Amino acid sequence: MINFIQFTLTRAGLSIVTLLLVCFIVFSLMELVPGTCAERYLAFKNTQGSQITYEDIEKEKIRLGLDKPFLYRYGKWVSDIVLKGDFGDSCILRMNINELLSGRFVLSLTICLVALIFSYLIAIPVGIISATTKYASLDTTLKFISYLGIALPNFLVALCIMLFMTVFYGDTMTGLFSQEYENQPWSSAKVMDFLSRAWLPIFVLGWNATAFALQTVRALMLDENDKLYVMAARARGISGMKLLWRYPAKHSLGPVINSIGFDLNRIFSALPIVALILILTEAGALLIEALARSNDQQLAGAIIFLLTATIVFVNFVTDVLLAIMDPRIRKGVMGGN
Amino acid sequence: MSHLLEIKNLDVKFDTDEGRIIAIDNVSLTLDQGKVLGIVGESGSGKSVTAKSIMQLNPGNTIYNDDAEIIIDNENVLKFTSKNDLKKIRGGKVSMIFQEPMASFAPAIKIGNQMIEQLLLHKETEKNQAKQISIDMLNRVGIADAEKRFNQYAFELSGGMRQRAMIAMALSTMPKLLLADEPTTALDVTIQAQVINLMKDIIKEYNMGVIFITHDLGVIAQVADDVAVMYLGSVVERGPVNEILKNPKHPYTRGLLNALPDINNLDAPLKPIPGNIPSPLDRPTGCVFRTRCPEPTHDCKEGNIEMGLIEVSPGHWVDKCCVNCG
Ligand SMILES: Nc1ncnc2c1ncn2[C@@H]1O[C@H](COP(=O)(O)OP(=O)(O)O)[C@@H](O)[C@H]1O
Ligand SMILES: [Mg+2]
């Protein structure tokens, strides 16, 4: 048990180091973009007709703390986020980033996690069936569908569904809310409205993720099913579902859990493009906006920080789960019994 | 008197992407209660496939011939299809021990739980009773600290201990027939000797029939009553172990004996059997051994030979085409 706590703490420490390292890279990249926030703001004012002097720029820099050394500013950025939950201001939009993001990140995360959960709920049983069925044609069909899922890009699926919806229902189903709820405060009706629309991005994201997870589960099951211990169990008279679940399925669960963090990563990466097409007002779309259009480094940095933190956290959880589940790893990290 | 096990005219073929492989060609064997039949032959000669046929453990691409029979208790077990029938030959009347003791335990299930699972499936017992039987069995095969081992996983045991546990598990349901497929091949030599001694004791104590598969004639000499020599899916010679070892008739059996190191003259060069086993995809026509026979005749090649075994002395059978070779 002592060892297990030690393992968890070490693993958590490692996660934090990873997160800090990624943040450092993100922050450095933000620095590399020419022009500071002060210059940009004043340049903006300039276009509005005000006359800007060199002193104005210096003053603005001091006001924003930009005269401080790089490492100091990095430390402050991180500590503000971690200690105060404050992501600072966006210097393009001149708004507090927390306000800008309010709810949107949670919304994005929800869409991604729901897509992920659905894809595994489908992929695990279907992958097992595909790997173990006596009927070669069933396996071939499932394999074909999953290849399709991998080959068809998310945005194409999204466009097809939009086209279909427009033709048959006269509504593109874009956006996360209908127009009448878009700017309303949350209410039960708004939640219902959200749910009636959220299935589309969830489906589009999950479609691809399911196909990948299906391939993973299928390959792991085939691998496990060929092992001697499965034949040895069959030789002891164990058969049917009991054999399947207790032997190959149970033993391929570890690597399946391992792949979850990886898949979440993939879904996150796909989200912005899907969001762009479906005109979703969520964090992924904001990230594209910030990175590609307005060059809003503070906003982009904040979103990347949140995404990275989520992935690092999920990976941490799956590693601990794995250590609890697999006796070989468990013994390594817990010692003795 | 009826035999414990009778294999008659068994052919086994596999459908593969490269074509249909003949793995077993017309094998007939018998085994009586309390006896040990050794099956010996180089790897790929069909020893494992023969043993797996008895439990119907060969994979989905296997084709058995219609007139083949594997008879246990007056039933042709090759015709078993129902779950209950299959249970009888898988863990009930027949148990099997495999070559790799590590790989034959499920890595993430405790050894004890795998033992209990099997007992509950085959015997009318309670969980507690099954646990007691399992621990007694672990004790019987010489595992110290049986109670502790019962709660451990296979990776926590040493190789020899794992094979002992495997033997304990195989015996716990009191099968009439034990199939041991190279049970000592993967072990260190000293451990090998211990496990062989253990098996000899247990075979005597439980009075079951045993098929002991190995590629080592030295092991056969220690444990077996009868021996069948297999080559490329056929039994080329069989009989009582002393007779076969002292008076081998088939050039392949002689080759196997010559390939053993000579205790009295360790400096003598080893004499492996010349040539390689042909690929099962192009099995020789006529006599299967002719591509490696020291003196093949023209007849061996053509269909001009009689197939099957002939009895040269009581119980000693040899492939007809090779009975006069060399
Ligand atoms: N499932 C299978 N599919 C195709 N060929 C097989 C299969 N199982 C065994 N064989 C072939 O059958 C022959 C006999 O194999 P086996 O009984 O395992 O030999 P061994 O005497 O070493 O135990 C070999 O040529 C092997 O390649
Ligand atoms: Mg073998």
Side-chain angles (χ1 to χ4, degrees):
Chain A
M1 201 56 208
I2 303 283
N3 281 340
F4 181 65
I5 293 168
Q6 212 170 42
F7 164 79
T8 311
L9 290 180
T10 317
R11 189 62 191 74
L14 222 63
S15 301
I16 292 170
V17 171
T18 313
L19 185 58
L20 287 180
L21 217 67
V22 173
C23 289
F24 185 78
I25 294 170
V26 171
F27 192 79
S28 308
L29 288 175
M30 279 157 56
E31 283 289 311
L32 280 178
V33 178
T36 63
C37 212
E39 285 159 359
R40 283 155 160 263
Y41 173 51
L42 295 176
F44 167 74
K45 270 199 162 168
N46 203 357
T47 59
Q48 307 293 307
S50 326
Q51 277 298 319
I52 305 296
T53 63
Y54 194 69
E55 281 86 64
D56 287 334
I57 297 181
E58 286 305 309
K59 250 199 285 176
E60 185 68 11
K61 270 190 180 169
I62 292 170
R63 192 182 71 81
L64 292 170
L66 291 173
D67 54 334
K68 301 278 192 329
F70 173 73
L71 279 179
Y72 172 86
R73 278 181 288 123
Y74 168 66
K76 184 161 167 26
W77 184 63
V78 172
S79 61
D80 276 354
I81 295 176
V82 175
L83 300 177
K84 302 186 206 151
D86 180 9
F87 286 96
D89 294 334
S90 152
C91 70
I92 300 288
L93 301 171
R94 307 208 64 75
M95 261 178 86
N96 183 277
I97 289 176
N98 290 45
E99 258 167 59
L100 213 59
L101 275 177
S102 72
R104 289 201 210 184
F105 185 75
V106 177
L107 217 58
S108 313
L109 192 62
T110 310
I111 292 175
C112 288
L113 286 181
V114 171
L116 187 72
I117 290 168
F118 265 121
S119 63
Y120 273 86
L121 280 183
I122 297 169
I124 290 177
V126 177
I128 291 176
I129 291 170
S130 179
T132 55
T133 179
K134 281 188 286 224
Y135 307 105
S137 53
L138 179 61
D139 183 34
T140 313
T141 313
L142 291 174
K143 248 188 340 202
F144 177 73
I145 295 175
S146 69
Y147 281 136
L148 214 62
I150 290 173
L152 279 185
N154 283 326
F155 68 85
L156 201 62
V157 176
L159 286 174
C160 289
I161 295 179
M162 276 165 70
L163 188 68
F164 180 85
M165 284 301 189
T166 317
V167 171
F168 288 94
Y169 295 98
D171 182 350
T172 54
M173 293 299 282
T174 51
L176 283 175
F177 305 99
S178 321
Q179 243 156 30
E180 63 252 51
Y181 291 108
E182 182 77 55
N183 294 314
Q184 302 258 326
W186 281 99
S187 63
S188 57
K190 183 166 174 170
V191 171
M192 290 312 292
D193 179 61
F194 170 69
L195 289 181
S196 74
R197 297 195 152 241
W199 69 265
L200 182 54
I202 289 174
F203 176 83
V204 172
L205 289 169
W207 158 262
N208 206 261
T210 309
F212 268 103
L214 188 67
Q215 296 273 327
T216 313
V217 173
R218 184 178 176 278
L220 288 169
M221 271 301 284
L222 280 179
D223 206 42
E224 227 37 60
N225 215 9
D226 268 352
K227 292 197 175 158
L228 181 59
Y229 73 82
V230 179
M231 186 196 282
R234 191 172 289 130
R236 295 197 295 275
I238 302 150
S239 61
M241 290 308 261
K242 198 165 169 209
L243 178 76
L244 190 66
W245 285 114
R246 235 168 103 74
Y247 290 83
K250 178 180 167 159
H251 288 81
S252 37
L253 205 59
V256 168
I257 288 182
N258 234 347
S259 71
I260 289 180
F262 189 61
D263 275 343
L264 182 63
N265 198 345
R266 197 166 23 221
I267 292 182
F268 269 153
S269 319
L271 183 62
I273 296 173
V274 173
L276 212 60
I277 290 169
L278 297 179
I279 322 180
L280 307 181
T281 46
E282 52 72 70
L286 220 53
L287 177 63
I288 290 277
E289 172 76 26
L291 279 178
R293 298 222 191 111
S294 55
N295 204 353
D296 189 339
Q297 298 138 42
Q298 286 73 17
L299 181 57
I303 298 175
I304 293 173
F305 178 93
L306 285 170
L307 288 178
T308 313
T310 311
I311 290 170
V312 167
F313 177 72
V314 168
N315 279 331
F316 166 72
V317 171
T318 55
D319 273 11
V320 173
L321 261 183
L322 212 59
I324 293 173
M325 271 187 26
D326 188 322
R328 288 161 291 187
I329 304 176
R330 186 166 67 222
K331 189 175 180 221
V333 299
M334 294 202 195
N337 260 314
Chain B
M1 190 194 95
S2 80
H3 301 287
L4 170 62
L5 167 76
E6 203 171 349
I7 301 178
K8 289 188 206 164
N9 311 320
L10 178 68
D11 291 349
V12 180
K13 301 186 181 76
F14 292 112
D15 258 337
T16 69
D17 293 338
E18 288 87 41
R20 192 165 281 191
I21 290 176
I22 299 178
I24 303 293
D25 181 22
N26 199 23
V27 161
S28 298
L29 291 169
T30 56
L31 174 67
D32 293 326
Q33 192 180 348
K35 295 286 183 199
V36 179
L37 169 67
I39 300 184
V40 69
E42 288 163 293
S43 75
S45 54
K47 307 181 296 292
S48 298
V49 172
T50 305
K52 284 185 209 158
S53 301
I54 299 170
M55 298 173 101
Q56 285 200 31
L57 285 179
N58 285 310
N61 63 343
T62 313
I63 303 159
Y64 299 103
N65 55 322
D66 274 337
D67 57 337
E69 289 181 278
I70 296 181
I71 299 190
I72 299 173
D73 285 343
N74 296 319
E75 289 181 291
N76 182 1
V77 301
L78 272 179
K79 298 282 182 256
F80 282 177
T81 50
S82 76
K83 201 172 140 182
N84 270 337
D85 274 343
L86 286 171
K87 225 173 77 178
K88 285 196 277 188
I89 47 165
R90 294 180 180 168
K93 294 176 184 175
V94 190
S95 280
M96 186 149 170
I97 305 168
F98 299 88
Q99 180 173 342
E100 298 289 340
M102 178 68 197
S104 38
F105 280 106
I109 305 177
K110 286 178 181 168
I111 288 173
N113 287 341
Q114 296 184 56
M115 294 183 80
I116 288 185
E117 180 183 32
Q118 182 190 13
L119 279 165
L120 292 180
L121 199 63
H122 294 283
K123 300 280 168 191
E124 305 269 316
T125 53
E126 297 273 294
K127 214 168 176 175
N128 280 335
Q129 208 181 340
K131 179 175 177 183
Q132 200 48 54
I133 295 174
S134 305
I135 290 176
D136 289 348
M137 211 59 226
L138 289 173
N139 265 318
R140 172 63 195 88
V141 297
I143 290 181
D145 246 347
E147 196 132 357
K148 179 178 156 204
R149 301 303 182 192
F150 179 87
N151 281 313
Q152 287 188 318
Y153 297 92
F155 71 91
E156 295 174 272
L157 272 57
S158 67
M161 195 123 63
R162 277 179 211 136
Q163 199 58 302
R164 283 172 193 269
M166 200 70 217
I167 293 170
M169 175 145 76
L171 293 180
S172 64
T173 55
M174 301 285 161
K176 295 176 164 184
L177 172 60
L178 179 67
L179 309 176
D181 189 355
E182 312 221 22
T184 58
T185 307
L187 304 176
D188 294 343
V189 187
T190 46
I191 311 282
Q192 223 177 62
Q194 291 170 11
V195 171
I196 287 174
N197 284 335
L198 169 70
M199 289 200 66
K200 280 165 73 173
D201 288 350
I202 274 172
I203 291 164
K204 218 181 273 164
E205 182 179 330
Y206 290 85
N207 195 34
M208 57 199 162
V210 179
I211 290 188
F212 198 108
I213 295 174
T214 173
H215 56 255
D216 185 348
L217 270 174
V219 173
I220 291 282
Q222 290 179 65
V223 297
D225 300 299
D226 294 296
V227 57
V229 181
M230 287 190 74
Y231 181 78
L232 216 61
S234 299
V235 172
V236 293
E237 182 163 16
R238 69 181 157 91
V241 70
N242 284 330
E243 169 73 11
I244 301 285
L245 294 182
K246 290 206 184 98
N247 199 8
K249 288 278 184 250
H250 197 282
Y252 182 63
T253 315
R254 280 195 214 127
L256 287 178
L257 282 166
N258 282 335
L260 290 177
D262 182 354
I263 288 290
N264 301 316
N265 182 9
L266 288 172
D267 291 334
L270 293 179
K271 285 167 283 183
I273 303 172
N276 291 315
I277 303 187
S279 151
L281 281 168
D282 63 327
R283 252 174 89 88
T285 54
C287 176
V288 281
F289 190 61
R290 70 176 165 79
T291 56
R292 293 171 83 186
C293 189
E295 41 194 278
T297 64
H298 180 70
D299 286 347
C300 299
K301 197 169 180 177
E302 303 306 322
N304 209 0
I305 48 159
E306 269 192 277
M307 305 295 276
L309 303 183
I310 182 171
E311 194 169 22
V312 290
S313 61
H316 184 173
W317 296 77
V318 187
D319 206 348
K320 277 177 194 160
C321 68
C322 287
V323 71
N324 291 318
C325 291

